[in-house]
Amino acid sequence: MMSSYQNKILRVNLTNGTASMEPLNTKYAKDFIGGRGLGTKMYCEEVGPNVDPLSPDNNMYLVTGPLTGTMAPSAGRYMVITRGPLTGTIACSNSGGYFGSEMKYAGYDVVVIEGKAEKPVYIWINNDKVEIRPADHIWGKEVPDTTDLLKEETDEMAKVACIGPGGENLSKIACIMNEMNRAAGRTGVGAVMGSKNLKGIVVRGTNPVHVPDGEKFMAAIQEARKALLEHPVTGTGLATYGTQILINILDQSGGLPVRNFRDSGTVEWADKTSGEFMIEHKNLVRNKGCFSCVMRCGRVTRTFKPYAGFGEGPEYEAGWGFGADCGVKDIDAICQANFRCNELGLDAISMPCTIACAMELYENGYLPNEDAGCDLRFGNASILADLVTKTAYREDIGDILAEGSYRLAEKYGHPELSMSVKKQELPAYEPRTLQGMGLNYATNNRGGCHVRGYMTAPEILGIPVKLDPAVTEGKAGVCKAFQDLTGAVDASGFCLFTTFAIGADIIANVVSAATGIEYSPDELLKAGERIWNLERLFNMACGFTSKDDTLPQRLLQEPQKNGSYKGSVNRLHEMLPEYYQLRGWDQAGVPTKDKMVELGLEDAFAQMLGAVEAASAKNN
Amino acid sequence: MAKILMVQPSKCASCRNCELACSFAHEGVFNPNKSRVHALVWERLGLGVPLMCMHCDDAPCVEVCMTGALHRDEEANGVLWDKDKCIGCKLCISACPFGNASYDSETKSVIKCDLCGGDPECVKFCPNEAIEYKEADKGMLTKKAMYAEKFKKIFEEVE
């Protein structure tokens, strides 16, 4: 039957220099939809746990969703799945732009990258013609130059996903950039690409993407479009102010982390770093959308002396990171540091949070002057861009910043000052104010991250209903529901932001109309739950346990200093047991056999038990 | 006064919904390569410029067409293509100064904007109002001249 899948996988082996095509496994596609789900399933089947993330054995999967390349609104996304060097968990990182849809037009649902090239290479995918080409002459170049050069050598209409010096130098916080400014940002996927000597992937596609019934599909997407365009957040808020609109909202709600979460709650100058201020200060040039987007949250921005520059962003989390988290109130310096992250291919969340951690280590006297090489006190706007550059090239202090905040703080004897979960830096929502967000951080399968169960929506924005952020009761159920829905959204190709306006019913309707497989809202959520549990099983097979489902000690013990939730801590212990129970896991957070049978994950469950047993036998 | 298609690159969000809507309306599939409109994007500048057949009053494609397949249609206020009269010489494609016509060898068709019978799909699906279908009054022509100036600058830079 005709569907929006291309039913084809491209497999490139860089060790052997081969490229081959194979059919999509339709059973996997049905159970795991695509994107994050399908990629995780393929990774678990083909690679399994405990592979060194930076070794040739660690495959990388670039996976589109069934909606990618269709006209479903804001649904042009692809996902990179691998094992991440930052966390050691399943790594998966999502990006918009045009790259995912171009992959689809080239005829592929998935591109698998195996092995390691002897010398720097790039992959040129021109519909069904695939070449592995030398990239020695491009190695070392920053993302914009790399993108331009690769297009010049191939096709001006091609789309480029590449790494910058960050990924080449195996920074654990390196990302993969496409169309220069869109990032598969988190979990260090850029380092995995760098470890393969793979500078970039260039793709050009001219094939169609089909849907089974055009009329039915257009009716389904019209419903979604209408909801998105009429919603105050997705219709006007994001287009006008971008995600930076959240600075003032979080600040006023008392949920803004400040100076490495040391002075959290609120800060008097937060509004000078907001999306509103970026318009007033004339930083915003125009807004921009990814492929098929109707929300258009992207920012084309410029900055002024002494931090003059031009580029895109920042998103809220990066703006907060270089801003409030580093104690910096200069919007031009914040934007410029964000531009440098994009140009060098570094995660614009983990980067500033690692700098913020360094700043606290420095102020406390743990990180000595001779190592810092600059005045690393909170608030020093003038050092940000330079520290990003040094990180990408691993120069001086940059060499340890490139490892992320946990390894940095550990090196200086104070790992508790890394504001991370599973070694990945926490983004811009204070868990001592947003109790449910804290639970989501702690249980997140890829470590500290806000896009796997955005509890900020109910706890602060009142979407779909307003929940008191300070209350723990009932949060476990909501958190689970958000996580499961997000799993399905990430598998479909939809942008997560669509869920501000549309729920499982509309999403299921669109996915059904695209694939020709009928998903009820419950079945869609079940697929999301399956994805979540498969990720959990993988992590446990890699040695993660309930001990890792936690937050930095500061957030659990140190009373918050400022704002309307002054004095509070995160009460994770009040939520976690109920969360495990609702997940169908035992008290130690281990998925139960019954639940795994219900989700069709018996094999992965057996694999996990085997791996855990083998590890324990080895330790004895 | 008859309506015309107007593009405003400064408003283009580069989302390419126009390409998707166009290819679906004309081909029943999603394929930007077969769209009559393209939002060309300068990634460094974060700038998109939607371009489609401008329906020139004095159209080079109509001039060059030997069979009258390409003709000016007064009612539509545009340049339309008649498949029955077309011999597939493709001279129109060479003649168009903007590159706004192309040819599909599978279906033996000239791919060119046909204004969707007076209700352009690209206009309907543009979320940023970068493509409009409006009556060309004097005010708009002034605006057009302003944007033409921008085009000129951009093309100079690119070349």
Side-chain angles (χ1 to χ4, degrees), chain A residues 381-591:
Chain A
S382 68
I383 56 173
L384 294 181
D386 195 39
L387 286 174
V388 178
T389 306
K390 283 187 163 155
T391 301
Y393 292 102
R394 285 188 176 271
E395 281 166 14
D396 310 327
I397 182 79
D399 191 31
I400 184 67
L401 296 179
E403 296 289 299
S405 69
Y406 187 84
R407 291 165 180 91
L408 164 80
E410 197 178 38
K411 177 182 167 173
Y412 291 105
H414 290 273
E416 75 282 0
L417 291 182
S418 165
M419 293 299 114
S420 60
V421 168
K422 300 180 178 79
K423 301 193 175 78
Q424 176 160 269
E425 289 69 23
L426 292 173
Y429 311 89
E430 177 49 81
R432 285 170 289 190
T433 297
L434 290 78
Q435 295 291 331
M437 197 66 181
L439 175 65
N440 176 56
Y441 285 156
T443 56
N444 200 306
N445 288 322
R446 66 166 196 173
C449 142
H450 61 295
V451 287
R452 292 291 183 273
Y454 194 61
M455 289 297 285
T456 306
E459 292 191 315
I460 300 289
L461 306 174
I463 298 171
V465 286
K466 182 81 174 88
L467 300 178
D468 183 347
V471 167
T472 53
E473 203 187 337
K475 291 290 168 68
V478 181
C479 181
K480 174 186 178 291
F482 267 63
Q483 289 175 342
D484 291 349
L485 176 65
T486 304
V489 168
D490 285 345
S492 72
F494 261 132
C495 170
L496 180 59
F497 291 175
T498 57
T499 55
F500 285 126
I502 61 176
D505 49 347
I506 292 184
I507 294 168
N509 208 14
V510 175
V511 174
S512 303
T515 58
I517 303 164
E518 283 302 320
Y519 292 93
S520 67
D522 281 347
E523 283 163 337
L524 186 87
L525 291 170
K526 190 62 99 186
E529 188 179 18
R530 186 176 296 121
I531 294 165
W532 189 271
N533 278 274
L534 182 62
E535 291 172 337
R536 175 80 176 182
L537 291 172
F538 175 83
N539 287 348
M540 297 201 90
C542 291
F544 287 87
T545 67
S546 62
K547 286 200 188 75
D548 301 294
D549 296 338
T550 189
L551 295 169
Q553 182 187 310
R554 163 174 282 168
L555 308 178
L556 298 171
Q557 292 171 7
E558 238 176 71
Q560 182 160 232
K561 276 194 191 160
N562 302 308
S564 28
Y565 296 91
K566 190 176 167 179
S568 66
V569 294
N570 186 275
R571 307 192 303 282
L572 182 63
H573 63 279
E574 293 175 12
M575 300 176 282
L576 197 57
E578 188 192 356
Y579 173 86
Y580 284 166
Q581 191 197 350
L582 292 170
R583 279 251 167 252
W585 302 348
D586 68 16
Q587 288 168 359
V590 182

Side-chain angles (χ1 to χ4, degrees), chain A residues 69-71 98 102 105 144-145 147-148 151 157 159 179-181 204 206-211 214-215 217-218 222 225 229 286-294 296 300 310 312, chain B residues 9-25 28-34 38-48 121 124-129 150:
Chain A
T70 73
M71 208 180 164
Y98 308 133
E102 200 71 17
Y105 299 131
D145 284 349
T147 306
D148 279 346
K151 283 164 77 154
M157 298 300 284
K159 305 300 170 206
E179 287 80 71
M180 295 189 192
N181 288 297
R204 172 71 180 138
T206 56
N207 297 296
V209 169
H210 299 272
V211 288
E215 219 166 287
F217 182 75
M218 288 309 267
Q222 283 288 26
R225 273 181 74 94
L229 287 167
R286 71 180 73 86
N287 69 334
K288 207 181 149 184
C290 294
F291 194 77
S292 86
C293 189
V294 298
R296 304 148 284 149
V300 178
F310 187 91
E312 288 186 26
Chain B
S10 66
K11 281 191 180 177
C12 178
S14 316
C15 67
R16 299 169 65 197
N17 271 301
C18 51
E19 299 178 19
L20 288 162
C22 179
S23 75
F24 189 75
V29 294
F30 299 107
N31 186 359
N33 195 47
K34 291 204 176 171
H38 286 102
L40 295 159
V41 179
W42 280 265
E43 287 170 6
R44 269 187 202 263
L45 301 174
L47 178 80
E121 293 286 313
K124 271 195 273 183
F125 285 94
C126 177
N128 250 23
E129 296 170 337
K150 279 197 179 179

Side-chain angles (χ1 to χ4, degrees), chain A residues 56-202:
Chain A
D57 296 334
N58 192 20
N59 290 1
M60 202 171 85
Y61 298 78
L62 280 70
V63 194
T64 62
L67 304 183
T68 313
T70 73
M71 208 180 164
S74 312
R77 306 193 73 90
Y78 76 101
M79 188 71 83
V80 181
I81 293 103
T82 184
R83 187 174 183 216
L86 183 66
T87 59
T89 62
I90 189 83
C92 76
S93 202
N94 183 286
S95 183
Y98 308 133
F99 186 84
S101 20
E102 200 71 17
M103 247 177 81
K104 212 62 186 280
Y105 299 131
Y108 309 102
D109 300 301
V110 185
V111 174
V112 188
I113 296 157
E114 305 175 341
K116 176 184 178 176
E118 241 173 74
K119 287 179 159 184
V121 293
Y122 72 91
I123 302 172
W124 166 220
I125 305 167
N126 185 8
N127 289 319
D128 53 1
K129 281 191 294 209
V130 182
E131 285 175 58
I132 301 169
R133 292 182 170 184
D136 307 81
H137 57 303
I138 299 165
W139 200 257
K141 298 222 182 292
E142 296 187 3
V143 169
D145 284 349
T146 301
T147 306
D148 279 346
L149 282 165
L150 288 177
K151 283 164 77 154
E152 269 170 39
E153 283 186 19
T154 54
D155 182 331
E156 285 296 338
M157 298 300 284
K159 305 300 170 206
V160 176
C162 66
I163 54 169
E168 291 175 13
N169 295 320
L170 308 182
S171 164
K172 291 187 174 68
I173 55 171
C175 47
I176 298 173
M177 303 296 301
N178 55 282
E179 287 80 71
M180 295 189 192
N181 288 297
R182 306 317 307 176
R186 306 221 68 197
T187 63
V189 290
V192 175
M193 198 155 147
S195 74
K196 299 184 172 305
N197 273 329
L198 179 60
K199 180 65 175 168
I201 303 160
V202 189

Side-chain angles (χ1 to χ4, degrees), chain A residues 174-355:
Chain A
C175 47
I176 298 173
M177 303 296 301
N178 55 282
E179 287 80 71
M180 295 189 192
N181 288 297
R182 306 317 307 176
R186 306 221 68 197
T187 63
V189 290
V192 175
M193 198 155 147
S195 74
K196 299 184 172 305
N197 273 329
L198 179 60
K199 180 65 175 168
I201 303 160
V202 189
V203 60
R204 172 71 180 138
T206 56
N207 297 296
V209 169
H210 299 272
V211 288
D213 178 339
E215 219 166 287
K216 192 176 161 192
F217 182 75
M218 288 309 267
I221 71 152
Q222 283 288 26
E223 188 185 15
R225 273 181 74 94
K226 190 166 179 287
L228 288 166
L229 287 167
E230 286 174 2
H231 193 278
V233 174
T234 54
T236 45
L238 285 171
T240 311
Y241 300 110
T243 54
Q244 274 283 77
I245 193 174
L246 286 166
I247 290 270
N248 285 334
I249 296 173
L250 266 292
D251 182 58
Q252 283 152 19
S253 314
L256 191 74
V258 180
R259 296 184 194 93
N260 201 36
F261 293 67
R262 187 187 69 187
D263 308 328
S264 283
T266 175
V267 68
E268 62 275 14
W269 41 262
D271 62 319
K272 296 291 179 215
T273 64
S274 66
E276 293 89 329
F277 185 75
M278 285 176 64
I279 294 178
E280 197 187 313
H281 191 52
K282 303 208 183 313
N283 294 112
L284 180 68
V285 178
R286 71 180 73 86
N287 69 334
K288 207 181 149 184
C290 294
F291 194 77
S292 86
C293 189
V294 298
M295 299 184 286
R296 304 148 284 149
C297 72
R299 311 282 91 186
V300 178
T301 44
R302 64 178 159 194
T303 49
F304 303 99
K305 283 178 187 170
Y307 304 111
F310 187 91
E312 288 186 26
E315 296 300 324
Y316 166 59
E317 288 72 19
W320 156 82
F322 286 116
D325 202 37
C326 287
V328 169
K329 50 187 150 183
D330 187 317
I331 190 65
D332 291 310
I334 293 167
C335 291
Q336 191 202 37
N338 181 71
F339 296 158
R340 289 305 285 151
C341 283
N342 289 346
E343 289 157 3
L344 294 158
L346 290 169
D347 172 14
I349 300 177
S350 282
M351 183 73 257
C353 295
T354 302
I355 294 174

Side-chain angles (χ1 to χ4, degrees), chain B residues 42-95:
Chain B
W42 280 265
E43 287 170 6
R44 269 187 202 263
L45 301 174
L47 178 80
V49 180
L51 282 176
M52 73 291 280
C53 171
M54 298 282 117
H55 299 276
C56 312
D57 287 344
D58 191 6
C61 61
V62 172
E63 288 290 310
V64 84
C65 184
M66 301 297 288
T67 64
L70 277 162
H71 59 281
R72 177 131 203 112
D73 187 300
E74 290 311 324
E75 198 189 334
N77 191 32
V79 173
L80 300 184
W81 173 69
D82 187 342
K83 188 177 172 69
D84 293 337
K85 289 187 185 167
C86 182
I87 55 170
C89 72
K90 308 171 198 73
L91 278 172
C92 51
I93 292 145
S94 311

